[in-house]
Amino acid sequence: MHALNRDLDDHRFVLFDQLAVHEALAVDRDTLDAVLAEAASLTASVLEPINRAADREGVQFSAEDGVRVPQVLKAAWEAIAAGGWIGLTVSEQHGGMGLPAALNAAVQELFFSGSAAFMMYPGLTATVAHLLADEGPADVGPLTVQRLLTGVWAGTMCLTEADAGSDVGANRTLATPTDVPGVYTLVGEKIFISGGDHDLTENIVHVLLARTPDAPPGTRGLSLFLAPKFWFDENGALSERNGAFVTNIEHKMGIHASATCTLRFGDRQPCRAWRIGAEGEGMTLMFRMMNEARLGTALQGVALGAAAFRAALSYARERRQGSAWDKLRDANAPRVPILAHPDVRRMLLDQQSKIAALRSLCLRLGLYADRAHRGDVEAGADLELLTPIAKAWGTDVGFEVACEALQVHGGYGYLVDYPVEQYVRDAKIASIYEGTNGIQAMDLIGRKLKMEGGAVFMRWLERGRTQCDEAADAGLPREAAAIRQALDAVGAAAMSLAERGMTGATAVALVHAVPFLRSMAITVLALESLDQAKVALRLRDQTPERPACVDKPLNLRHYVAHVLPEAIALSRVVRAGEDAALDPALFADVAR
């Protein structure tokens, strides 16, 4: 039995038993389950087998031939495209399957656990298709969406520029109107562009931010454009090469099979592009893509943590070393699997409990996205509030879990003979791109806590307290009381940040943005673990041997005892307001 089956059962637990997605959205459970099972099968049969080979081969670039990806990716691309996976959540009206985002979250996690580097290509292509289905230029949008969903073309997001970095408002790429309405010429450079060029598809369309000649400075002056690698006519027939060329690829710590490119527009020859939306709407439209990508990045963190945990658990069952803990003084005692050693079991339960709670959060946010799409304003607000939590904490914890899984392997984990070293390398980038996790923390305290005058955050707190009361009545009083204490601590920390904002001590608040996010995120996952344990206790009489029914209460016990106390400690850090990092004398030698 493939180790992925345990994760598949856990996805079913979250989707159907915990969140009851089929009931909440009135969709057929058997259809959702069949798609989920097929995704797991594709992960095991197609994506996992290519992961290490693609990492070893890497991406190649030459000025003459452009970018060449590892050969093993081509069959995977064909399988993803032929199966309709790129358009899983795109409406049937636009050629997709129209399935729930909650299901897609589970599918994407499975796929990313198989090969995170490969999934950058279809993942970004789907994100571009979602935007163009709603906002694409009328004359080329529908055609482009159709080509993207069938995998004939691919798509990219182009934000970052060398001098601007995370300061998107400093972007300088220039878009000048032509005589053709809605068509512009572009001049500029974008860096760190995932999938910026490759040989998987016949064409690539770049969605990028640029500013028109009379645009105001900052983000208000940015507009959004669609620039293809090859120009095409109204029937999709390709014609001349457009002036968007790769000048370099990055040689990275991980995700070696993902082409991360520097692109220059309008340098070697003119680069034409269609405007998406109105001038000045660039950031509004790009944020739709970025928020989707941030949830995808969270799932990437969860996926790589889950894959690393599976590898560590398998290794711990097979690797024999030392005697049982109660026979350490017996030189003749038989060697036992390291799974028998208490510290190894602690590490594995630590990994399992965190990944299970993160998975629950990400699939819940998928359900919130589905409900928001159907007009549920409160679900949309909750999605906004928790997106920086999912992105930042999902990627941080995914990396930490991968590192701990390597630790389970001991010295062998550090060797390329075992898969965990690649999971560690591949996982780290997720905390950096789509807005670094420090930026996510600043977004949380600077914007999300203030939504509706703080009402969205307060509603989350009250819902958490109600959940604790219900769990206490359901047989989990000790754990519920501990989580309620953490909720109170997070609320107190938020109040202290608000007070600093009102008194002008903004810099002090920003110093504590990451500690606050960590405190809130740990508590968010505690609530997910509590919810899972409550559901497992309800189901245990029916299916007592089901892994989820066995694991969830134990996950909660471990999480509350070993992880949750950090939330309260970090709340104290935030409330103390230590500002040593802001002392002007610090790092003064750097300035000189």
Side-chain angles (χ1 to χ4, degrees), residues 166 297 391 395 427-437 439:
S166 296
T297 304
K391 192 280 179 185
T395 56
K428 185 62 196 113
I429 184 59
S431 65
I432 298 171
Y433 55 29
E434 303 307 338
T436 66
N437 288 355
I439 289 175

Side-chain angles (χ1 to χ4, degrees), residues 42-290:
L42 185 64
T43 300
S45 62
V46 176
L47 299 182
E48 282 186 341
I50 70 170
N51 195 40
R52 294 182 70 189
D55 178 71
R56 300 299 183 265
E57 182 177 347
V59 174
Q60 306 298 320
F61 168 71
S62 69
E64 297 77 22
D65 299 328
V67 176
R68 297 289 180 262
V69 301
Q71 288 297 304
V72 292
L73 298 192
K74 296 184 177 181
W77 179 266
E78 291 172 3
I80 290 288
W85 297 103
I86 297 173
L88 196 68
T89 59
V90 176
S91 70
E92 294 177 285
Q93 171 189 353
H94 291 102
M97 294 188 186
L99 290 170
L103 173 68
N104 188 54
V107 168
Q108 292 300 308
E109 189 211 306
L110 291 169
F111 285 170
F112 268 110
S113 76
S115 180
F118 166 75
M119 281 304 298
M120 299 292 292
Y121 301 101
L124 286 167
T125 299
T127 300
V128 172
H130 288 153
L131 177 73
L132 296 181
D134 295 331
E135 305 290 346
D139 49 346
V140 297
L143 170 68
T144 305
V145 171
Q146 188 270 334
R147 293 289 196 272
L148 292 171
L149 296 186
T150 53
V152 179
W153 297 352
T156 75
M157 291 170 54
C158 302
L159 285 82
T160 309
E161 297 185 8
D163 293 333
S166 296
D167 182 11
V168 179
N171 282 2
R172 296 183 299 177
T173 297
L174 181 65
T176 303
T178 68
D179 294 336
V180 181
V183 177
Y184 293 66
T185 58
L186 302 176
V187 176
E189 182 182 74
K190 301 288 182 179
I191 65 170
F192 297 148
I193 307 306
S194 297
D197 191 30
H198 53 76
D199 55 346
L200 291 172
T201 59
E202 66 178 29
N203 202 11
I204 302 170
V205 292
H206 307 290
V207 173
L208 72 154
L209 290 170
R211 60 180 70 253
T212 51
D214 299 324
T219 57
R220 293 185 303 113
L222 293 174
S223 302
L224 199 62
F225 298 89
L226 179 69
K229 177 179 178 179
F230 289 95
W231 204 253
F232 54 91
D233 64 19
E234 65 276 6
N235 298 314
L238 303 185
S239 56
E240 70 271 20
R241 181 71 157 83
N242 202 18
F245 287 92
V246 171
T247 60
N248 186 41
I249 59 171
E250 303 301 336
H251 302 281
K252 308 180 297 292
M253 169 181 166
I255 56 169
H256 291 156
S258 174
T260 308
C261 304
T262 298
L263 282 167
R264 288 198 61 83
F265 300 88
D267 187 17
R268 291 165 54 177
Q269 64 190 59
C271 180
R272 291 181 291 168
W274 292 277
R275 192 186 70 235
I276 303 172
E279 287 191 16
E281 290 184 343
M283 283 305 295
T284 300
L285 295 172
M286 184 59 86
F287 261 113
R288 289 181 50 178
M289 299 178 68
M290 288 176 65

